[in-house]
C-alpha cells in the first residue's frame, strides 16, 4: 500500500511554506474522501503524477486512464462547501467548511468534490493545484536552487552584511539574533533548536553557520503557511504580489475603496524588505506578512481612532465613560486611596468621576473610600490633579459627582477650593428654562460640570436641609461614621448643605427618583437621578421601554451595589441597552466587564462619549431592550468570522508549574442586547507551540449592530491554575472586513508585544450579500415564506387610516429588496462564492473560468449599457448557462429596484410624516377618545412602532438602492479590468448613476 501523508500525522517541523512543499506533498499522495452527488463519501488515495500533468485516484471501478483529471482541464479550485453537492443537507454537518474543496474541470464544468482530514491538507492541495493550473508543468524551484528568488537574494544579502569577517560563515549566536531582529516575538530557544536540527541534518555541526543554512532556517521559521497560501491566491506569478495583484487584494478582500496603483507602491516601499522588490514594485511573502501585521491593516477601523460621531446632540444622547471609585487601586474594602488612580482614569478618557467628601482631621475635607482612616487624600490635592489632567485625553466635558459626607463648614472650604483651582473651567451658568434638552458635548468642551444636591429656591440661609443620596453609606457603616440613621418609616435621609457648594451645581442637579410617570410630568431636563445597580436592574427587566424613554431626555447614573466589597464590576451592557448614560465602573478591577467598558469607549476617538443608537434617541421610536429577534427598522447583520491562527501567544500568567506547552483555543463572544449575546469557540490547537493554527469559521447574527461588542478571548485547555492567555474587545461598528490581525491584550488591558490572532472578517445583511452597510439590507432567511413588516392598529380611527395608506408601499419595499437579495445569493452560489463576496469577485471568477479554457466559450459584458447584459456567442456548457440566467435575473431585479425605489420611498415618508403630524396632538386625541390605562399604553406603543417601521423600511430601501448602484459600478469596473467587458468607457461613479435619495430626518 502506498505511503499516505496527512498534515495531522506529519512531524511538527514539516511546514508547508512554499509551492514546492505543496507539490512535494501531492507527489507523495494522501487519502481524501470523494463525495458523490448522492451524498455518499468514499475514501480514495489521491496522487499527482510525476510529470505534474494529472491527478489520479485509486481504487476505482474506472480504468486508470479515466480515474484521473488532467491539470490543463481544470477551470477553478474552490475552498469550502461551494458546490451544490457539498451544500446538500445530507452533508452540511458531517465535516467543517475548511476541510472541503472542489476541482471544477472539463468543458462541461464538472466538479470533483473532496474532503480532507484537516484544513492544512486542503491548503496544500489547493495551493499546489492553483500553481499548476497557472504554470503547467514548470516545476517551482525549491529555495536556494537554480535561479535565486527575490526572497533568497534578500536573505543572502542580510547574511552578507552580518558576515563581518567575509568568511562565508557567521556565529550561531549572531544568526539567532539576526532572525530574532527580523521576526520580533520569536523565542530565542525556537531559533536555536532549528539551527541545531539543520546542522545535524546536513552533518555540519559547530558554532558557525553558512549562508545556505541561514537561508533555509529563515524560510522554515519565518514563513507563515496561511499567509503564503493567501499570497498564492492573489499572485499572478505565485511568488510575489505585483502592484495589480496587491490592488486586487485590497479592493476585493479588504473592502478598501478608491485604491490607486500609487497607494500600492507606497505600501510596497514601506513594507517590502528587499531593495529589488521595492524597485520593481513587488511585495514578496516577508513584505506581505509585515503589511498584514502593521497598523495600516488593523482590525480596528482607523476612522474611529479620532472623534467621528456627531457631538452636537444633547448630552443625554451619549453614553459617558464613568468611574465609581477612581482613586482606589485595589478592592473597596482593603483598597488604599492613591492619587494616581485619578490620573489613570482620566488618561483612559473617563468623563465622570465620583468624589466622596468627608470631614478631614485638620479642618479640611478629604477624599477616602477605604475603611482605614490613615489612607485619605486631601480634597485640595485631588482637585489640583483634576485641574491638571482633566482634558489631556479628551476635550469634552468632565462631570464631577460630589457625594457630600462632610459638615457645612468643610463644604464651604471644598467649594472655595473648586472655584479657586478650576476657575473658568467650572460651568456655572444657570440652565436655560426655555430649552427642552441639555447642551451638547461640543458646546460644553473644556468645561467641568458639578453633579450634586442643590438648595431649594425658597431657602435663603447660608445652609439648608436637602434629601441625601443612598450612595456612599455602605462605607460610612464600615468606618463607624454613620451618625445619621435612616428616619423612621423608611423615608429619605436628610443632609445639611452649604449655599457655596449648592451654587456650583447647574446642569447636573441630583434629585431622588420617584417613578417614571412623575418624571415625565415634573422632572426638568437639568435634573438627574442616580440608581443603584439593583434598582436599575429591576427597571431594566420589568419596564425597559419606560427606562429607554426616560433616558431620552434625562441623564441617569448607575452605581455598583454596596455588596460588591471586592470592587467587582457590573455588566455595563445590562444598562446601556436601556439607554443609561453613566454606568459607574471600578476602573481598578480588570476583567470581562472592564474589557467591555474600555473596548466600547474606544469607538469615538476614546473621547469618553459615544452617541447612542438612533432608535434610542428619536422622540418617537419603538425599542424593546429585551427583544429576542430583529427590531423594526433596524437591519440585522451576519458576522462571518474565521479564526485562522495565533502568533507568539504567551503562557498563562498563573501557570508557573506548567512546561512550555500551551494548548490554546479561542472564544469569540458577542455582547449586546439579549437577542445578540452569543459565544462560539474553536477547537483546541494541540502541541502547537506559540503559533497555533485554528482555521475555524464562526457565525453570529447581530440584531442591533450599534450596541454590539465583539470580544476575543484566548484560553489554555491544558492549564494548571490559570487558563487566561489574552483578550481583545472591539465594538462591532469598528470592525474592518478582510484579513486582519487582532492585537491581543492582557487581563489588565495592556498590549502584549507581538501577540496576535489572524482572522478573516466579513459582514453581510441577514439574508446574505452585499457589503453589510452600517445600516445595510435586512432580508429574511428562508426563501419559502416572505415575511412582511406591517403597521399595528392604535385604536384611534383617524391615525389608523393614515398608517393604513402605508400597507401597500411596505409590501412593495420588501419585495423590491428581497427579490434583489434572492437573485444575488443565487448568482454568488453559482459562482462558487459565499454570500459575503462582492460583485467584483463574482465577475472576476466568471472571467477566470473563461480564460482557463482552450475552447473558451465567448461570453462578454456589454458595458455600453447602464445595466450591462452578459452575452454568450455560440453553445455554452450547462453550468455557465445557469450562471448567465442568474446574472440576468439579478440585473433585472436590480433595475426594477433602482427605478421604483424613489416612488415607494416617497409614499413611506409621506405616511411617516402624516403620522408625526398627529404626535403633537396625541394627548388631546387620547383624552377625546377616552383612552386610559392598558389601552392608552397599547395605543402609544403601536404609534411608536408604526413610526419606527416606516422610517426604518424607508431607510432600508434607500440603502438597497445605493447598494444596487454600487453593484453596477463594480460590474463596470471588473468587466474592464478582467477583459470580458466590451464597448466600455470609464466606469461610472456609483453616485452619478442616479441621484441618491434624501436623508431621512430624525
Amino acid at each position: 500500500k502506498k505511503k499516505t501523508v496527512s498534515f495531522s500525522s506529519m512531524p511538527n517541523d514539516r511546514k508547508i511554506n512554499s509551492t514546492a512543499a505543496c507539490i512535494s506533498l501531492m507527489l507523495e499522495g494522501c487519502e481524501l474522501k470523494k463525495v458523490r452527488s448522492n451524498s455518499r463519501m468514499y475514501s480514495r488515495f489521491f496522487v499527482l503524477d510525476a510529470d505534474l500533468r494529472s491527478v489520479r485516484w485509486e481504487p476505482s471501478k474506472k480504468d486508470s486512464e479515466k480515474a484521473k483529471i488532467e491539470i490543463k482541464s481544470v477551470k477553478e479550485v474552490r475552498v469550502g462547501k461551494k458546490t451544490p453537492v457539498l451544500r446538500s443537507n445530507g452533508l452540511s454537518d458531517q465535516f467543517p467548511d475548511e476541510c472541503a474543496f472542489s476541482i471544477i474541470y472539463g468543458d462541461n464544468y464538472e466538479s470533483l468534490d473532496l474532503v480532507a482530514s484537516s484544513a492544512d491538507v486542503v491548503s496544500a492541495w489547493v495551493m499546489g493545484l492553483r500553481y499548476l493550473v497557472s504554470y503547467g508543468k514548470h516545476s517551482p524551484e525549491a529555495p536556494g536552487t537554480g535561479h535565486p528568488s527575490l526572497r533568497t537574494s534578500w536573505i543572502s544579502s542580510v547574511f552578507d552584511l552580518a558576515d563581518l569577517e567575509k568568511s562565508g560563515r557567521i556565529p550561531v549566536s549572531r544568526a539567532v539574533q539576526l532572525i530574532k531582529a527580523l521576526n520580533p516575538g520569536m523565542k530565542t530557544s525556537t531559533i536555536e533548536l532549528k539551527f541545531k536540527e539543520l546542522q545535524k541534518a546536513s552533518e555540519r555541526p559547530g558554532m558557525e553557520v553558512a549562508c545556505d543554512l541561514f537561508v533555509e532556517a529563515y524560510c522554515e521559521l519565518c514563513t507563515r503557511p496561511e499567509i503564503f497560501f493567501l499570497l498564492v491566491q492573489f499572485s499572478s506569478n505565485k511568488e510575489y504580489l505585483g502592484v495589480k495583484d496587491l490592488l486586487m487584494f485590497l479592493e476585493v478582500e479588504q473592502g478598501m475603496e478608491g485604491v490607486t496603483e500609487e497607494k500600492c507602491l507606497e505600501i510596497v516601499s514601506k513594507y517590502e524588505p528587499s531593495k529589488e522588490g521595492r524597485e520593481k514594485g513587488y511585495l514578496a511573502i516577508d513584505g506581505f506578512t509585515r503589511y498584514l501585521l502593521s497598523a495600516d491593516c488593523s482590525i480596528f477601523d482607523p476612522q474611529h481612532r479620532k472623534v467621528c460621531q456627531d457631538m452636537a446632540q444633547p448630552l443625554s444622547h451619549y453614553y459617558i465613560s464613568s468611574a465609581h471609585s477612581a482613586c482606589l487601586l485595589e478592592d473597596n474594602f482593603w483598597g488604599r486611596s492613591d492619587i494616581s488612580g485619578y490620573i489613570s482614569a482620566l488618561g483612559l478618557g473617563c468623563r465622570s468621576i465620583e468624589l466622596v467628601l468627608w470631614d478631614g482631621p485638620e479642618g479640611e475635607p478629604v477624599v477616602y473610600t477605604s475603611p482605614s482612616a490613615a489612607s485619605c487624600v486631601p480634597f485640595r490635592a485631588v482637585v489640583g490633579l483634576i485641574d491638571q489632567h482633566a482634558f489631556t485625553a479628551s476635550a469634552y466635558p468632565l462631570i464631577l459627582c460630589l457625594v457630600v459626607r462632610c459638615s457645612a463648614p468643610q463644604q464651604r472650604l471644598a467649594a472655595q477650593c473648586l472655584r479657586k483651582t478650576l476657575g473658568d473651567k467650572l460651568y456655572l451658568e444657570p440652565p436655560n428654562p426655555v430649552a427642552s434638552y441639555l447642551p451638547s458635548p461640543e458646546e460644553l468642551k473644556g468645561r467641568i460640570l458639578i453633579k450634586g444636591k442643590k438648595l431649594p429656591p425658597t431657602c435663603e440661609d447660608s445652609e439648608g436641609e436637602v434629601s441625601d443620596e443612598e450612595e456612599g453609606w455602605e462605607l460610612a457603616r464600615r468606618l463607624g461614621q454613620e451618625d445619621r440613621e435612616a428616619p423612621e418609616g423608611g423615608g429619605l435621609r436628610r443632609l445639611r448643605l452649604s449655599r457655596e457648594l449648592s451654587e456650583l451645581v447647574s446642569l447636573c442637579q441630583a434629585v431622588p427618583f420617584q417613578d417614571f410617570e412623575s418624571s415625565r410630568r415634573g422632572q426638568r431636563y437639568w435634573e438627574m437621578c442616580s440608581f443603584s445597580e439593583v434598582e436599575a436592574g429591576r427597571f431594566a427587566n420589568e419596564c425597559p421601554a419606560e427606562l429607554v424613554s426616560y433616558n431620552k431626555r434625562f441623564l441617569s447614573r448607575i452605581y455598583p451595589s454596596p455588596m460588591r466589597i471586592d470592587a467587582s464590576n457590573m455588566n455595563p451592557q445590562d444598562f446601556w441597552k436601556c439607554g443609561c448614560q453613566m454606568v459607574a465602573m471600578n476602573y481598578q478591577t480588570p476583567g470581562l466587564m472592564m474589557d467591555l467598558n474600555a473596548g466600547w469607549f474606544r469607538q469615538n476617538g476614546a473621547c469618553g462619549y459615544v452617541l447612542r443608537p438612533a432608535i434610542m434617541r428619536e422622540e418617537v421610536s419603538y425599542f424593546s431592550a429585551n427583544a429576542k429577534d430583529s427590531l423594526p427598522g433596524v437591519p440585522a447583520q451576519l458576522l462571518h468570522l474565521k479564526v485562522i491562527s495565533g502568533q507568539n501567544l504567551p503562557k498563562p500568567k498563573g501557570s508557573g508549574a506548567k512546561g512550555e506547552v500551551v494548548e490554546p483555543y479561542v472564544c469569540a463572544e458577542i455582547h449586546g442586547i439579549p437577542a445578540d449575546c452569543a459565544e462560539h469557540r474553536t477547537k483546541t490547537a494541540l502541541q502547537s507551540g506559540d503559533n497555533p493554527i485554528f482555521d475555524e469559521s464562526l457565525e453570529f447574527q447581530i440584531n442591533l449592530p450599534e450596541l454590539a461588542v465583539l470580544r476575543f478571548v484566548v484560553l489554555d485547555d491544558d492549564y494548571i491554575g490559570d487558563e487566561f492567555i489574552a483578550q481583545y474587545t472591539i465594538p462591532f461598528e469598528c470592525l474592518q472586513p478582510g484579513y486582519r490581525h487582532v492585537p491581543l491584550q492582557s487581563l489588565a488591558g495592556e498590549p502584549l508585544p507581538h501577540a496576535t490572532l489572524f482572522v478573516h472578517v466579513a459582514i453581510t445583511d441577514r439574508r446574505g450579500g452585499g457589503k453589510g452597510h452600517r445600516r445595510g439590507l435586512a432580508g429574511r432567511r428562508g426563501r419559502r415564506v416572505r415575511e412582511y413588516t406591517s403597521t399595528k392598529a392604535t385604536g384611534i380611527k383617524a391615525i389608523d387610516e393614515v398608517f393604513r395608506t402605508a400597507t401597500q408601499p411596505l409590501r412593495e419595499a420588501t419585495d423590491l429588496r428581497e427579490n434583489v437579495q434572492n437573485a444575488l445569493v443565487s448568482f454568488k452560489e453559482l459562482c462558487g462564492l459565499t454570500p459575503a463576496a462582492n460583485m467584483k469577485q463574482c465577475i472576476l471568477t466568471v472571467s477566470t473560468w473563461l480564460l482557463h479554457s482552450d475552447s473558451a466559450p465567448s461570453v462578454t459584458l456589454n458595458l455600453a449599457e447602464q445595466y450591462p447584459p452578459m452575452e454568450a456567442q455560440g453553445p455554452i456548457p450547462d453550468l455557465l448557462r445557469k450562471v448567465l440566467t442568474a446574472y440576468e435575473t439579478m440585473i433585472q431585479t436590480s433595475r426594477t429596484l433602482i427605478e421604483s425605489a424613489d416612488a415607494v420611498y416617497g409614499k413611506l415618508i409621506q405616511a411617516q410624516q402624516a403620522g408625526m403630524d398627529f404626535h403633537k396632538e396625541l394627548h388631546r386625541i387620547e383624552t377625546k377618545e377616552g383612552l386610559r390605562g392598558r389601552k392608552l399604553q397599547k395605543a402609544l406603543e403601536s404609534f411608536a412602532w408604526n413610526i419606527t417601521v416606516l422610517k426604518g423600511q424607508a431607510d432600508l430601501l434607500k440603502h438597497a438602492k445605493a447598494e444596487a448602484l454600487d453593484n453596477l459600478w463594480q460590474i463596470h469596473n471588473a468587466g474592464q479590468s478582467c477583459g470580458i467587458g466590451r464597448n466600455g468607457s470609464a466606469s461610472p461613479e456609483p453616485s452619478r448613476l442616479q441621484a441618491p435619495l434624501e436623508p431621512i430626518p430624525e
Side-chain angles (χ1 to χ4, degrees):
K1 188 174 185 304
K2 287 185 183 173
K3 181 184 171 195
T4 67
V5 177
S6 82
F7 274 49
S8 52
S9 64
M10 283 192 328
N12 276 344
D13 60 350
R14 176 166 181 178
K15 207 172 184 185
I16 295 296
N17 57 15
S18 68
T19 321
C22 296
I23 288 171
S24 152
L25 178 106
M26 291 162 70
L27 288 164
E28 289 173 16
C30 73
E31 207 165 89
L32 299 170
K33 287 191 170 73
K34 185 169 176 261
V35 186
R36 290 263 177 87
S37 54
N38 60 6
S39 294
R40 289 194 175 173
M41 294 200 281
Y42 302 88
S43 281
R44 297 289 181 261
F45 186 83
F46 282 78
V47 66
L48 175 67
D49 271 0
D51 63 4
L52 310 182
R53 288 186 179 183
S54 44
V55 173
R56 296 178 185 274
W57 60 92
E58 56 182 51
S60 172
K61 289 175 185 171
K62 300 175 183 176
D63 64 63
S64 61
E65 280 310 299
K66 286 189 178 173
K68 71 170 188 177
I69 288 176
E70 291 192 352
I71 297 293
K72 68 178 182 185
S73 74
V74 174
K75 304 280 187 249
E76 186 194 358
V77 186
R78 296 180 185 175
V79 187
K81 301 171 192 172
K82 303 279 175 58
T83 61
V85 170
L86 291 175
R87 277 200 193 99
S88 66
N89 291 334
L91 287 171
S92 53
D93 298 329
Q94 288 188 31
F95 49 85
D97 192 66
E98 48 275 2
C99 287
F101 70 106
S102 303
I103 302 170
I104 312 295
Y105 67 97
D107 291 338
N108 290 324
Y109 292 78
E110 295 168 68
S111 75
L112 173 64
D113 299 300
L114 302 167
V115 177
S117 59
S118 75
D120 288 337
V121 179
V122 172
S123 295
W125 275 90
V126 171
M127 203 187 299
L129 284 166
R130 283 178 177 167
Y131 183 92
L132 292 171
V133 168
S134 300
Y135 290 100
K137 60 182 186 297
H138 304 295
S139 173
E141 294 155 358
T145 62
H147 178 68
S149 70
L150 198 68
R151 186 185 201 194
T152 310
S153 309
W154 166 67
I155 303 166
S156 304
S157 70
V158 171
F159 179 90
D160 293 341
L161 285 172
D163 181 11
L164 304 173
E165 296 78 23
K166 302 298 172 216
S167 62
R169 303 174 71 79
I170 62 170
V172 172
S173 58
R174 195 182 301 164
V176 169
Q177 288 308 312
L178 206 50
I179 287 183
K180 203 167 164 58
L182 292 169
N183 199 334
M186 190 172 281
K187 286 181 183 169
T188 306
S189 56
T190 308
I191 307 170
E192 288 172 344
L193 190 65
K194 177 55 67 182
F195 276 121
K196 278 180 188 164
E197 279 174 20
L198 293 176
Q199 284 179 323
K200 190 178 179 185
S202 61
E203 297 179 348
R204 289 188 285 174
M207 298 307 291
E208 292 187 319
V209 292
C211 185
D212 60 332
L213 202 81
F214 179 78
V215 170
E216 193 179 348
Y218 178 87
C219 288
E220 287 197 20
L221 286 166
C222 303
T223 309
R224 283 174 48 190
E226 71 277 27
I227 292 183
F228 185 73
F229 182 46
L230 190 58
L231 179 131
V232 168
Q233 245 178 299
F234 282 89
S235 166
S236 42
N237 79 337
K238 310 300 169 200
E239 290 297 331
Y240 52 75
L241 296 172
V243 168
K244 283 192 164 52
D245 300 332
L246 181 57
L247 192 140
M248 190 65 69
F249 170 74
L250 297 176
E251 280 193 347
V252 169
E253 266 315 330
Q254 304 298 86
M256 287 170 68
E257 291 175 358
V259 188
T260 59
E261 291 197 1
E262 288 73 33
K263 173 68 183 166
C264 294
L265 285 168
E266 271 176 42
I267 290 172
V268 172
S269 65
K270 189 172 177 183
Y271 296 107
E272 174 53 41
S274 72
K275 191 179 174 206
E276 186 189 350
R278 290 195 298 272
E279 286 169 356
K280 292 182 176 174
Y282 296 155
L283 195 63
I285 179 68
D286 299 288
F288 189 43
T289 306
R290 287 179 180 191
Y291 170 63
L292 288 172
L293 277 165
S294 73
D296 288 349
C297 210
S298 166
I299 190 170
F300 191 92
D301 187 339
Q303 288 183 3
H304 289 270
R305 294 193 190 283
K306 51 186 186 295
V307 175
C308 56
Q309 295 176 345
D310 176 7
M311 300 304 284
Q313 300 274 337
L315 210 57
S316 59
H317 285 185
Y318 297 85
Y319 296 112
I320 303 170
S321 179
S322 307
H324 180 229
S325 303
C327 61
L328 284 185
L329 291 185
E330 294 162 31
D331 64 54
N332 270 339
F333 201 79
W334 307 109
R336 49 194 182 80
S337 297
D338 184 302
I339 214 153
S340 65
Y342 290 109
I343 302 174
S344 167
L346 290 169
L348 291 168
C350 175
R351 295 289 84 195
S352 166
I353 283 181
E354 176 196 46
L355 300 174
V356 187
L357 274 63
W358 301 88
D359 280 330
E362 293 169 20
E364 279 200 36
V366 293
V367 173
Y368 66 93
T369 41
S370 114
S372 158
S375 61
C376 59
V377 181
F379 180 66
R380 187 182 301 278
V382 175
V383 175
L385 200 77
I386 288 169
D387 178 53
Q388 210 178 330
H389 296 277
F391 301 107
T392 49
S394 169
Y396 292 100
L398 174 68
I399 301 170
L400 297 184
C401 301
L402 297 188
V403 180
V404 178
R405 294 280 169 268
C406 60
S407 61
Q410 293 210 8
Q411 290 174 32
R412 289 189 193 98
L413 290 174
Q416 288 162 16
C417 171
L418 285 165
R419 277 185 188 271
K420 186 181 172 187
T421 312
L422 302 178
D424 291 343
K425 291 179 189 149
L426 267 184
Y427 185 89
L428 302 172
E429 295 157 37
N432 177 0
V434 184
S436 304
Y437 286 93
L438 288 161
S440 69
E442 192 60 45
E443 292 171 73
L444 296 169
K445 251 183 174 177
R447 307 303 289 272
I448 295 175
L449 311 181
I450 305 293
K451 178 244 170 195
K453 289 287 177 181
K454 202 164 174 65
L455 290 173
T458 50
C459 175
E460 293 174 5
D461 301 332
S462 63
E463 59 185 66
E465 208 168 68
V466 293
S467 62
D468 197 0
E469 295 189 76
E470 282 301 300
E471 200 172 352
W473 278 112
E474 187 64 24
L475 184 67
R477 285 187 203 103
R478 292 188 215 145
L479 283 163
Q481 290 192 8
E482 192 184 14
D483 52 357
R484 285 165 281 191
E485 285 299 320
E488 287 178 27
L492 292 167
R493 286 188 179 86
R494 307 299 290 173
L495 164 78
R496 295 296 293 176
L497 182 67
S498 79
R499 177 166 296 284
E500 284 94 327
L501 204 55
S502 168
E503 284 172 351
L504 298 182
V505 177
S506 166
L507 293 177
C508 297
Q509 183 181 336
V511 296
F513 179 77
Q514 291 170 318
D515 57 65
F516 290 115
E517 187 53 37
S518 304
S519 295
R520 189 166 77 91
R521 294 186 186 282
Q523 189 172 334
R524 292 167 296 188
Y525 72 83
W526 62 84
E527 295 174 333
M528 65 175 286
C529 299
S530 289
F531 302 89
S532 80
E533 169 190 354
V534 176
E535 186 183 20
R538 193 176 74 248
F539 291 146
N541 289 325
E542 293 173 10
C543 42
E546 278 102 319
L547 190 52
V548 170
S549 185
Y550 172 86
N551 286 321
K552 286 179 186 177
R553 276 192 67 205
F554 309 116
L555 285 176
S556 61
R557 181 172 180 276
I558 318 298
Y559 58 88
S561 159
M563 302 311 291
R564 293 184 182 274
I565 60 169
D566 59 348
S568 60
N569 275 307
M570 51 193 163
N571 186 343
Q573 284 276 5
D574 290 343
F575 307 104
W576 289 340
K577 72 179 184 185
C578 294
C580 299
Q581 297 89 347
M582 299 159 72
V583 182
M585 304 293 285
N586 288 307
Y587 268 59
Q588 71 277 16
T589 309
L592 164 62
M593 304 315 173
M594 205 53 219
D595 291 346
L596 291 177
N597 193 73
W600 178 250
F601 283 104
R602 225 177 266 142
Q603 66 183 290
N604 191 24
C607 76
Y609 285 82
V610 167
L611 190 62
R612 296 184 313 165
I615 200 166
M616 289 187 185
R617 306 191 310 264
E618 286 151 1
E619 198 176 352
V620 181
S621 64
Y622 178 87
F623 172 67
S624 171
N626 296 328
K628 294 288 184 283
D629 196 7
S630 58
L631 304 160
V634 178
Q637 298 190 351
L638 276 181
L639 170 64
H640 310 263
L641 186 66
K642 187 172 187 183
V643 182
I644 302 168
S645 61
Q647 290 73 45
N648 306 312
L649 299 180
K651 274 170 56 182
K653 265 197 171 167
S655 60
K658 262 191 67 158
E660 285 298 305
V661 179
V662 174
E663 296 192 344
Y665 63 96
V666 179
C667 264
E669 307 164 350
I670 293 287
H671 298 265
I673 60 170
D676 292 344
C677 292
E679 177 184 319
H680 295 309
R681 60 158 286 178
T682 66
K683 59 183 178 296
T684 301
L686 300 169
Q687 302 293 317
S688 60
D690 307 325
N691 304 303
I693 297 283
F694 300 105
D695 231 337
E696 209 156 328
S697 300
L698 314 171
E699 194 176 275
F700 298 91
Q701 180 171 311
I702 317 288
N703 294 292
L704 185 55
E706 288 173 283
L707 207 58
V709 175
L710 170 64
R711 182 172 185 256
F712 295 94
V713 197
V714 188
L715 300 165
D716 186 4
D717 217 359
D718 180 36
Y719 66 95
I720 298 172
D722 184 12
E723 62 177 340
F724 179 87
I725 295 174
Q727 63 84 25
Y728 182 72
T729 309
I730 179 171
F732 181 82
E733 298 275 272
C734 298
L735 284 171
Q736 289 219 92
Y739 288 93
R740 307 284 173 185
H741 280 92
V742 177
L744 294 172
Q745 298 178 340
S746 69
L747 191 63
E750 291 147 359
L752 292 168
H754 314 298
T756 52
L757 284 179
F758 187 43
V759 300
H760 182 265
V761 175
I763 298 166
T764 64
D765 63 278
R766 193 165 76 168
R767 178 67 185 87
K771 292 183 196 168
H773 287 288
R774 291 287 185 251
R775 308 278 170 281
L777 302 169
R780 302 288 174 186
R781 270 196 178 167
R783 290 190 189 183
R784 293 188 198 94
V785 182
R786 182 163 290 180
E787 297 173 29
Y788 293 98
T789 308
S790 57
T791 55
K792 293 181 178 179
T794 62
I796 302 168
K797 191 179 174 188
I799 295 178
D800 286 342
E801 278 176 9
V802 165
F803 287 133
R804 212 170 286 125
T805 62
T807 306
Q808 191 54 33
L810 280 172
R811 287 185 75 89
E812 286 174 28
T814 303
D815 286 338
L816 287 170
R817 291 194 340 266
E818 299 255 335
N819 290 345
V820 172
Q821 285 301 91
N822 291 339
L824 270 171
V825 171
S826 299
F827 179 54
K828 287 175 186 181
E829 282 184 355
L830 283 164
C831 291
L833 296 167
T834 65
N838 59 33
M839 189 51 60
K840 199 164 188 178
Q841 282 168 295
C842 297
I843 302 300
L844 293 173
T845 301
V846 174
S847 73
T848 309
W849 298 346
L850 302 171
L851 297 173
H852 282 167
S853 177
D854 293 337
S855 54
S858 178
V859 175
T860 54
L861 270 171
N862 185 354
L863 300 180
E865 297 188 31
Q866 186 186 344
Y867 301 96
M870 200 181 272
E871 298 159 345
Q873 281 78 40
I876 55 169
D878 187 43
L879 175 72
L880 210 49
R881 183 166 298 288
K882 284 180 181 171
V883 169
L884 293 187
T885 308
Y887 175 84
E888 182 59 27
T889 308
M890 182 200 69
I891 285 290
Q892 287 310 321
T893 53
S894 298
R895 181 175 190 160
T896 308
L897 167 68
I898 290 165
E899 292 174 355
S900 312
D902 289 25
V904 178
Y905 175 90
K907 289 176 190 170
L908 292 173
I909 289 303
Q910 196 178 347
Q912 189 235 4
Q913 287 169 349
M916 282 304 286
D917 290 342
F918 281 107
H919 179 240
K920 295 179 183 67
E921 299 290 308
L922 212 51
H923 287 299
R924 187 182 61 75
I925 299 168
E926 290 162 11
T927 314
K928 187 182 167 189
E929 297 275 334
L931 293 176
R932 58 172 63 86
R934 186 74 198 107
K935 276 190 177 177
L936 172 62
Q937 189 61 36
K938 195 89 184 101
L940 291 172
E941 254 181 41
S942 296
F943 182 82
W945 166 277
N946 293 345
I947 294 292
T948 307
V949 161
L950 290 172
K951 181 183 183 301
Q953 294 298 311
D955 247 338
L956 295 179
L957 189 58
K958 178 176 76 169
H959 289 299
K961 178 183 171 182
E963 186 157 284
L965 290 169
D966 184 61
N967 280 340
L968 289 180
W969 178 77
Q970 287 188 46
I971 290 168
H972 274 87
N973 199 311
Q976 283 182 318
S977 63
C978 70
I980 65 166
R982 62 183 177 86
N983 305 330
S985 57
S987 56
E989 287 298 318
S991 58
R992 290 180 200 155
L993 285 169
Q994 196 163 337
L997 296 162
E998 286 302 305
I1000 304 165
E1002 286 192 3

